[in-house]
Amino acid sequence: MKLSTKLIHAGIEPDPSTGAIMTPIYQTSTYVQSAPGQNKGYEYARSQNPTRKVLETALAHIENGKHGLCFSSGVAATDAVLRLLVPGDEVIAANDMYGGTYRLFTKLFEKMGIKFHFINMQNAENIKPYINANTKLIWAETPTNPLMNIIDIAALAAIGKPKGVLLCVDNTFASPYLQNPLDLGADIVLHSATKYLGGHSDVIHGCLVLNDTELRDQLYFIQKSVGAVPGPQDCFLVLRGLKTLHVRMDRHCANGEVIARMLRDLPAIGKVYWCGFEDHPGYAIAKKQMRGFGGMMSFTLKDDSPEAALKVLSSTKVFALAESLGGVESLINHPATMTHASIPREERIRNGLSDSLIRLSVGIEDVEDLVDDLRQAIG
Ligand SMILES: Cc1ncc(COP(=O)(O)O)c(C=O)c1O
């Protein structure tokens, strides 16, 4: 099946009891057994739920993997991967990533004895000096949040695999419609399904997709032992979101391109970060590993003061000032005080995330309204 067909049909069977074409929301905590240990494959809803199972199967197909696992949020999925590690293990992570991931790593897992190296991965070779016998995991996002840097997934896999180091790629920004990390050698793909997969800003959800069955069993054990599982209603919402991912992403990409090029021409703009520009340092890699450039971008103003940024952030009328991304509606965000506030300022500035940086999640409204809105807000 081609991806657009998979998004609608993969893993979905009409409900066996009624023929309902839409997967029912199995709102139950437990399942009746005919005798102790005799059941229909479902014992207790923290361990298994039919709505969640359909979604896990669908996600696996869509990311070209064998196994899917769903969690109550993207960070719960991240947490599950980190729980594979033991004190003394080391992680090489990108130095530009979602602030909540950074917070989880540095505030919770560092004190459990896991050592993190935050590295500029725009050149994959940069990770080589940090690999040693304790290195267990490479963690990358691409495109990165919020600077839209591109990391070469195949190059990271080629360096890590011979040393037995797992590669986990957070594919939230690209979505499976634009990029499939497992095909490029990653071991685990992570999504905050809260974003493009759900697509309608109405659910918090996360997932992992992978091929290795032993690794899946370890992560399943963590999923059921920790219990950070999504409810069936949330799984249903993500299942419904998946069915339109391709049409939404086409429009996010088309609108994103118009907005990025328009912003670049405005006199008040300093720099626009969007990986579809031919002069973006990661353009060649993005062309190679992605099927489009998406609707995420960031920009700075020539007046690089927080005041100037705050004026723009509070002047848009169609773009809503809010955390999150990937929904049908356009959002504007100030990473320094919102999504990335948990990264210490010096660290943020060192990695290029300035106080005035503004991030856009370009939605699927009429692009002329989006252009007009930004023009009037930026001036
Ligand atoms: C790239 C990325 N990964 C992971 C997460 C965490 O996902 P959630 O908010 O669903 O826990 C986010 C949230 O913004 C994100 O942007």
Side-chain angles (χ1 to χ4, degrees), residues 283-299:
Y283 180 75
I285 299 165
K287 276 288 263 190
K288 186 180 72 165
Q289 68 188 16
M290 299 175 75
R291 292 180 283 270
F293 304 111
M296 294 303 300
M297 67 196 65
S298 299
F299 63 92

Side-chain angles (χ1 to χ4, degrees), residues 12-31:
I12 316 277
E13 299 289 343
D15 178 47
S17 55
T18 62
I21 193 160
M22 289 307 299
T23 307
I25 300 167
Y26 283 91
Q27 193 75 52
T28 187
S29 61
T30 194
Y31 309 87

Side-chain angles (χ1 to χ4, degrees), residues 72-76 78 97-98 101 141 143 145 170 172-173 190-195 204-206 324-325 339 359:
S72 54
S73 67
V75 290
T78 306
M97 58 156 78
Y98 169 55
T101 308
E141 268 176 40
N145 180 1
D170 182 337
T172 300
F173 263 38
L190 177 139
H191 284 279
S192 166
T194 312
K195 312 296 173 355
I204 296 282
H205 194 285
S324 203
L325 60 108
T339 44
R359 191 188 78 183

Side-chain angles (χ1 to χ4, degrees), residues 252 255 259 318-322 327-332 360-365 370 373:
H252 283 296
N255 284 1
I259 299 289
V318 181
F319 279 82
L321 176 62
V328 289
E329 58 287 291
S330 293
L331 300 181
I332 189 164
L360 298 178
S361 170
V362 177
I364 64 171
E365 299 94 336
L370 300 180
D373 192 34

Side-chain angles (χ1 to χ4, degrees), residues 220-288:
Y220 172 65
F221 180 79
I222 293 169
Q223 183 199 42
K224 75 172 181 185
S225 304
V226 175
V229 290
Q233 166 97 18
D234 290 348
C235 293
F236 174 86
L237 287 172
V238 177
L239 267 173
R240 190 171 65 168
L242 287 184
K243 290 176 193 287
T244 55
L245 182 70
H246 50 312
V247 280
R248 287 186 285 108
M249 287 312 293
D250 281 341
R251 181 67 93 85
H252 283 296
C253 290
N255 284 1
E257 172 151 18
V258 172
I259 299 289
R261 296 195 188 282
M262 180 280 291
L263 284 175
R264 218 181 206 194
D265 288 342
L266 290 184
I269 295 290
K271 181 169 177 187
V272 182
Y273 300 81
W274 178 64
C275 59
F277 288 132
E278 294 74 4
D279 57 359
H280 182 291
Y283 180 75
I285 299 165
K287 276 288 263 190
K288 186 180 72 165

